[in-house]
Amino acid sequence: MRLYLQTLPEAGATPRYYQLALEQDLLGGWTLVREWGTQGGKPGGRREVYLERDAALAAFEAARDAQLRRGFRVMFAQGS
């Protein structure tokens, strides 16, 4: 599951982005990968590991909702 969010471009400002990815590892756990930054700039990132899919999905949805409240818009979504 992958989600790419971006702010609308403003005059003189570089758009910001936030990317979320939920991935299952080989041992059955789940990793939430977050990446953020400005277009063309150095990205920041963080990985969070969860044992249960439900907990990982709840964290994914909470991160998505927080960014939508901050003015980001969904540009690309993959997976369910």
Side-chain angles (χ1 to χ4, degrees):
M1 181 184 281
R2 186 173 306 276
L3 194 63
Y4 183 84
L5 302 105
Q6 184 176 318
T7 59
L8 294 176
E10 298 175 10
T14 304
R16 293 179 296 136
Y17 73 92
Y18 200 93
Q19 182 169 255
L20 295 166
L22 190 57
E23 304 168 346
Q24 188 171 21
D25 63 25
L26 295 175
L27 301 175
W30 293 85
T31 303
L32 175 59
V33 180
R34 304 174 188 227
E35 183 180 308
W36 59 83
T38 57
Q39 297 294 327
K42 184 177 177 185
R46 183 166 75 188
R47 291 180 176 268
E48 300 170 13
V49 177
Y50 296 90
L51 298 176
E52 307 262 336
R53 183 182 190 278
D54 291 339
L57 189 56
F60 181 93
E61 291 171 348
R64 176 201 61 202
D65 294 345
Q67 297 310 314
L68 290 173
R69 284 192 301 274
R70 294 184 67 207
F72 284 80
R73 301 220 174 148
V74 175
M75 299 295 174
F76 175 79
Q78 179 182 19
S80 56

